[in-house]
Amino acid sequence: MTTPPKSSAAPPGSGVPTLPVVPPQPGSPAPPGPAQAPKPAPARRTAFAEGVDRLRAAATTEPGRLRVIGALLALLVVAFGAVAAWQMTDRASAADDVLNSSQPLSSDAAEIYASLADANTAAASGYLAGPQEKPSIRQRYQRDIDTAAAKLVTAAASSKAGSESAKTIADLNRLLPTYKGLVETARTNNRQGFPVGGAYLRAANETMQQQMLPKAEALYQRENQRLNSDYADAKAFPWAAACLGVAALAALGWSQRRNYLRTNRVLNHGLVTASAASVVVLLWVVVGHTVARAGLNDSYDHGVRSLNVLHDARIASLTARSDENLSLIRRGADTTLVDKKPKDAYAVGYDTQIAKLAGSLTKARSLADDTAGRKPVKDADGYMQAWKDRHEVAQKKNDQGDYQQARDKVIGVGKDPTSVCFDNVDAALQTALTHEDAEFRQAARGGRDALDGLPYGAAVLAVLGAAGAVLGIGRRLSEYR
């Protein structure tokens, strides 16, 4: 028996008709209710955040803590080895550049300058001698030109395309044939007795003094800066590697102490192996770099510095000899003011260059650290003093108008010529340069060799240390299985 539907009744006496309440039919949509805002979708977590949560959860247990400690120790030891290998590779490469690249190029640049200056001196000496020119002078001139050309080829092969050095070398290669042509023209006219030969020689000298030698000096200075940069790179202390090494050892020490406090075991073989490997790498880096730095410092103090001063001395000697010859060739045609009085420009130039030579020889003697280095410098100083005395005699005769005797005193026809003194000074300086170059190479090679094998050794020992740390922690983990 079905129950009749209830009807909604209004209060009695309200006068409002009553309506029956109809229940919802099955399957019909629910009546609309009040509007509700949709719930926002939960933000997706990053893999890093989830990893941090898992790591935090794992760290709440001892096995989890051990895994974290093992991973951090291995990472720290590997980072130490990698940074040590990287920094020592850079320093070994810079030390090798000092020995085999930048210093030889610096010496080549100095040799280019010296060869050009000597060729100019020989050209002036040959012109001054005229028909009495000795074959040795002509051979010397040609040898200097060939040396300069060969060194320019070497320097061009070692310079970067488009660099300032490459541009300077290209300019010198362009000017060298021009200079040679002017010298040959001057020589030809001089042998035929034409005075115009002097004008060509003057043009050749101006090309050399105002264009070629300044460019050669700029090349020399640039290569010296490169050498100093390589020295700075090779001698820089590897602070990053040293700090990481100390941090790795501190972490390993803390881990072993923690292990002792929790297990009462004094040593963990794996952690001891990792500590020993780290100690070896750290000591190798510090001691090896200290030895290398000492060798490089020695090569600079008793090699490069001496070589630079000796190169300056040789250049001053060559320039003084060229000015001495040109003073007689030009016969006072070129003047300069000294104390407001006109003086022969080349005679003044000779005095200036001889003073530079004397100062350089004094420095070279103070830098020489053995008898073999001091003796040729002392000999050069003695020959220079004799040169000055003989030059005063020649200059006095020239000032008195006795040109022929002054010329003979300079080119070597008369008694005690200045040419012999110049040749002796140059030979002594060459001996000193050869000795100091050998000193440099010995010291620089010792410094470079102190770094041999260090990058590879650091990498291998770091891997061994990391493996030891992982195995040591793994043995503790096995106790929880």
Side-chain angles (χ1 to χ4, degrees):
M1 180 176 180
T2 59
T3 304
K6 296 180 179 180
S7 60
S8 61
S14 63
V16 179
T18 61
L19 296 175
V21 177
V22 181
Q25 300 297 320
S28 62
Q36 294 182 355
K39 294 182 179 181
R44 295 186 60 184
R45 306 193 65 204
T46 63
F48 176 77
E50 292 180 359
V52 170
D53 285 346
R54 291 177 183 176
L55 189 62
R56 187 182 295 113
T60 59
T61 64
E62 182 61 16
R65 294 190 190 97
L66 288 173
R67 289 189 182 93
V68 173
I69 291 172
L72 291 178
L73 287 177
L75 180 62
L76 189 56
V77 173
V78 168
F80 166 45
V83 172
W86 163 57
Q87 289 198 309
M88 300 319 294
T89 297
D90 280 352
R91 281 144 185 78
S93 177
D96 189 70
D97 286 342
V98 166
L99 179 62
N100 296 315
S101 179
S102 51
Q103 197 283 328
L105 282 175
S106 176
S107 292
D108 284 347
E111 188 65 24
I112 290 171
Y113 189 106
S115 297
L116 292 175
D118 194 42
N120 198 48
T121 299
S125 297
Y127 183 92
L128 189 60
Q132 298 177 350
E133 180 184 9
K134 298 178 182 179
S136 59
I137 296 178
R138 183 65 184 172
Q139 292 170 3
R140 181 171 184 165
Y141 165 80
Q142 191 60 50
R143 184 174 64 251
D144 288 332
I145 292 294
D146 293 341
T147 299
K151 295 294 184 182
L152 284 171
V153 171
T154 302
S158 302
S159 61
K160 294 181 180 179
S163 64
E164 289 298 321
S165 293
K167 294 177 182 177
T168 301
I169 293 168
D171 290 341
L172 288 172
N173 277 320
R174 175 180 54 82
L175 289 169
L176 189 58
T178 302
Y179 172 79
K180 288 171 61 181
L182 290 171
V183 170
E184 291 304 321
T185 303
R187 184 170 179 267
T188 300
N189 281 278
N190 186 45
R191 285 186 172 276
Q192 295 177 0
F194 297 151
V196 72
Y200 279 104
L201 185 67
R202 180 185 180 186
N205 180 69
E206 289 178 350
T207 300
M208 178 65 72
Q209 297 287 350
Q210 298 177 13
Q211 298 185 58
M212 298 179 72
L213 289 182
K215 290 181 181 297
E217 183 178 8
L219 179 64
Y220 173 58
Q221 295 296 336
R222 203 172 292 119
E223 293 303 329
N224 256 355
Q225 291 175 1
R226 178 180 170 185
L227 174 61
N228 291 334
S229 177
D230 286 340
Y231 262 112
D233 291 342
K235 295 192 295 183
F237 189 80
W239 287 109
C243 291
L244 275 173
V246 172
L249 286 173
L252 288 166
W254 171 84
S255 178
Q256 291 180 82
R257 183 175 182 276
R258 182 180 186 277
N259 184 60
Y260 168 73
L261 293 175
R262 290 176 179 270
T263 66
N264 207 29
R265 293 169 185 168
V266 178
L267 297 176
N268 178 291
H269 293 167
L271 295 178
V272 169
T273 300
S275 300
S278 299
V279 167
V280 171
V281 173
L282 184 59
L283 288 177
W284 196 357
V285 167
V286 174
V287 175
H289 184 268
T290 301
V291 174
R293 185 185 180 94
L296 291 170
N297 282 334
D298 187 52
S299 72
Y300 185 84
D301 293 337
H302 301 295
V304 173
R305 290 179 63 194
S306 295
L307 287 170
N308 289 342
V309 172
L310 289 170
H311 282 308
D312 291 342
R314 186 161 184 250
I315 289 169
S317 172
L318 292 167
T319 308
R321 178 60 179 173
S322 177
D323 287 340
E324 185 179 49
N325 289 329
L326 287 168
S327 177
L328 291 175
I329 293 171
R330 297 298 298 163
R331 300 188 186 185
D334 302 292
T335 60
T336 185
L337 292 178
V338 178
D339 296 332
K340 298 182 180 180
K341 295 181 180 179
K343 297 285 185 181
D344 184 348
Y346 293 110
V348 173
Y350 168 85
D351 293 337
T352 301
Q353 297 302 322
I354 282 293
K356 289 183 179 179
L357 174 60
S360 295
L361 290 176
T362 300
K363 291 181 182 178
R365 288 184 69 176
S366 65
L367 290 172
D369 60 338
D370 57 9
T371 303
R374 284 189 290 270
K375 184 179 184 306
V377 177
K378 183 179 179 181
D379 292 342
D381 187 72
Y383 296 136
M384 180 200 66
Q385 296 297 333
W387 183 6
K388 289 174 62 177
D389 293 340
R390 296 180 186 184
H391 173 80
E392 288 181 4
V393 175
Q395 187 63 42
K396 185 176 181 180
K397 291 184 178 297
N398 189 40
D399 292 341
Q400 293 173 350
D402 194 347
Y403 172 78
Q404 189 62 40
Q405 286 198 27
R407 171 181 169 274
D408 293 345
K409 188 72 174 178
V410 170
I411 66 174
V413 177
K415 183 180 179 182
D416 299 331
T418 62
S419 59
V420 174
C421 298
F422 163 73
D423 290 339
N424 289 337
V425 169
D426 195 62
L429 290 175
Q430 286 282 22
T431 301
L433 282 167
T434 301
H435 172 76
E436 296 301 334
D437 184 69
E439 291 272 292
F440 159 78
R441 291 192 168 277
Q442 182 179 1
R445 190 177 292 112
R448 183 203 61 182
D449 291 347
L451 301 176
D452 281 352
L454 205 163
Y456 301 104
V460 171
L461 288 172
V463 172
L464 177 62
V470 170
L471 292 175
I473 296 297
R475 185 167 183 179
R476 283 280 294 119
L477 279 170
S478 66
E479 298 173 0
Y480 289 89
R481 295 173 185 169

